[in-house]
Amino acid sequence: MSKFKIPAVPSSEITPPEVWQARREWIARAGAAALALGAPSWAHRRAMAAPAPGSPLPGKPDPRYAVMDAPTPERDVTSYNNYYEFGTDKGDPARHAAALRLDPWAVAVQGEAARPRSFALEDLLKLAPMQERVYRLRCVEGWSMVIPWVGYSLSELLKQVEPTGNARYVEFVTAMQPENMRGLKSSVLEWPYTEVLRMDEAMHPLTMLVFGLYGKVLPQQNGAPVRLAVPWKYGFKSAKSLVAIRLHEKPLPSSWMRAAPHEYGFYANVNPEVPHPRWSQATERRIGEGGLFAPKRKTLMFNGYAEQVASLYQGLDLRANY
Ligand SMILES: Nc1nc2c(c(=O)[nH]1)N[C@H]1C(S)=C(S)[C@@H](COP(=O)(O)O)O[C@H]1N2
Ligand SMILES: [Mo]
């Protein structure tokens, strides 16, 4: 495993002063909130139900994992979503995802592991210290956001089950609640929604298990109660509402690979030089930034995380392996 380097802001990325100012204010606010809240109120009770979406979930800000871009306003992060189980319109998840049944919730970690087992959500919340990390999210559709997530590296969970030497791929299986998810009637994808990473990608410290955003428990539309954030890949790799994580020896396709194999490859690394078959990926619209007429931003290789992750793909033809 390559050693994690502290991310530096590429000099090509010139941040306008108003963005800096917004970012400074936001850091001050987040710091004050973390101090005021201390440990979440439910942390000391035992056998409690999982905390409700929107209740406080502070994380310790980790500057190693913070991009300098201004975070996208919370109202945009929670109202402009892709969560096809609740419909394909950007407003559908915020309208309909409250129907998702959250309690009880567990994530089964299975397959190529010496100690496979199921983790109750309450135990996952205590497994490692909560961190706050400000990540970019680049949707394959051409828009992006900057989101302060709360959670910890997925590797913290994976190491608990002691993966065997055969564990080379990691599959993420998400919730399927037909009575609560109106989108499952659509055949746009095969359900449940699944994603797959290579083991070294899954173990990379940037790959995050997320329980909250903006210092609060995840709202359903953003993937409550636990989701993935893989910031150097297109957003669809960051599967929401995880119920199982399976370690495999052989590669396997994800939902999107099955649905449109010529459009969605295994890696889905953000790459401005490889267009989607139906549109360019060279630029993106940052949600919350001046509406439809704001100038587009240049999309960055690996979504700006090249310094941390490029070594994972040494010798790989990134055009052929999209
Ligand atoms: N289960 C599930 N996870 C999912 C999706 C989905 O439809 N279902 N959409 C993906 C896509 S395309 C994107 S861009 C991100 C969006 O995350 P956000 O709504 O929290 O910004 O979630 C990803 N995870
Ligand atoms: Mo997306």
Side-chain angles (χ1 to χ4, degrees):
M1 209 65 46
S2 64
K3 199 169 173 308
F4 184 71
K5 287 202 233 80
I6 292 177
V9 188
S11 55
S12 60
E13 224 183 309
I14 296 154
T15 309
E18 63 274 17
V19 173
W20 271 103
Q21 191 48 38
R23 169 97 189 112
R24 268 198 219 102
E25 281 162 13
W26 182 81
I27 288 171
R29 211 152 35 76
L35 278 178
L37 293 167
S41 56
W42 41 265
H44 304 293
R45 299 181 217 153
R46 77 195 145 75
M48 276 294 295
S55 53
L57 184 66
K60 188 167 182 263
D62 189 333
R64 291 177 306 165
Y65 303 100
V67 295
M68 290 299 140
D69 313 23
T72 302
E74 185 180 353
R75 65 174 179 280
D76 293 321
V77 174
T78 58
S79 64
Y80 188 92
N81 301 102
N82 273 337
Y83 195 159
Y84 276 17
E85 289 87 330
F86 294 101
T88 53
D89 189 89
K90 293 288 171 279
D92 280 339
R95 267 194 294 274
H96 304 303
L100 184 69
R101 193 180 57 249
L102 295 174
D103 213 10
W105 196 282
V107 179
V109 189
Q110 310 163 321
E112 289 291 343
R115 297 179 190 283
R117 65 185 174 102
S118 183
F119 294 81
L121 182 68
E122 293 78 357
D123 296 330
L124 286 179
L125 286 163
K126 290 180 292 195
L127 195 74
M130 286 292 169
Q131 292 185 335
E132 181 163 73
R133 304 181 180 179
V134 184
Y135 279 178
R136 295 193 189 93
L137 181 144
R138 170 60 157 80
C139 179
V140 75
E141 296 163 343
W143 51 267
S144 63
M145 297 195 191
V146 177
I147 306 175
W149 298 120
V150 180
Y152 49 75
S153 293
L154 173 69
S155 63
E156 300 278 2
L157 172 59
L158 293 181
K159 69 188 185 197
Q160 300 285 323
V161 300
E162 298 174 24
T164 71
N166 291 334
R168 296 179 57 209
Y169 295 90
V170 187
E171 181 187 19
F172 300 89
V173 184
T174 72
M176 188 162 63
Q177 297 179 4
E179 66 286 16
N180 301 328
M181 294 172 152
R182 53 173 63 212
L184 297 190
K185 293 188 195 85
S186 153
S187 55
V188 61
L189 290 173
E190 279 174 33
W191 313 106
Y193 186 109
T194 65
E195 260 310 332
V196 185
L197 295 174
R198 230 167 52 185
M199 186 66 178
D200 59 342
E201 296 176 324
M203 291 298 287
H204 193 284
L206 274 174
T207 300
M208 189 178 184
L209 206 54
V210 170
F211 301 88
L213 59 80
Y214 266 104
K216 298 172 201 163
V217 171
L218 277 179
Q220 283 93 333
Q221 61 268 33
N222 292 93
V226 54
R227 67 171 294 168
L228 217 54
V230 194
W232 71 95
K233 293 176 179 283
Y234 289 115
F236 65 85
K237 299 295 277 189
S238 296
K240 294 178 172 180
S241 307
L242 300 172
V243 295
I245 298 175
R246 298 186 184 137
L247 305 175
H248 296 267
E249 182 174 4
K250 302 261 160 59
L252 67 161
S254 64
S255 291
W256 280 108
M257 288 170 77
R258 269 194 270 261
H262 54 293
E263 299 194 345
Y264 304 107
F266 174 81
Y267 285 98
N269 290 323
V270 174
N271 187 344
E273 285 158 28
V274 176
H276 185 281
R278 290 182 280 139
W279 58 83
S280 162
Q281 293 290 22
T283 62
E284 66 201 54
R285 186 166 66 90
R286 182 64 54 85
I287 299 298
E289 225 176 46
L292 283 170
F293 302 105
K296 290 200 164 187
R297 288 173 171 259
K298 278 197 154 107
T299 289
L300 304 172
M301 187 67 198
F302 295 115
N303 206 21
Y305 296 91
E307 202 179 318
Q308 295 97 298
V309 302
S311 62
L312 297 177
Y313 309 104
Q314 246 157 30
L316 199 69
D317 177 348
L318 296 175
R319 283 191 165 270
N321 298 279
Y322 56 87

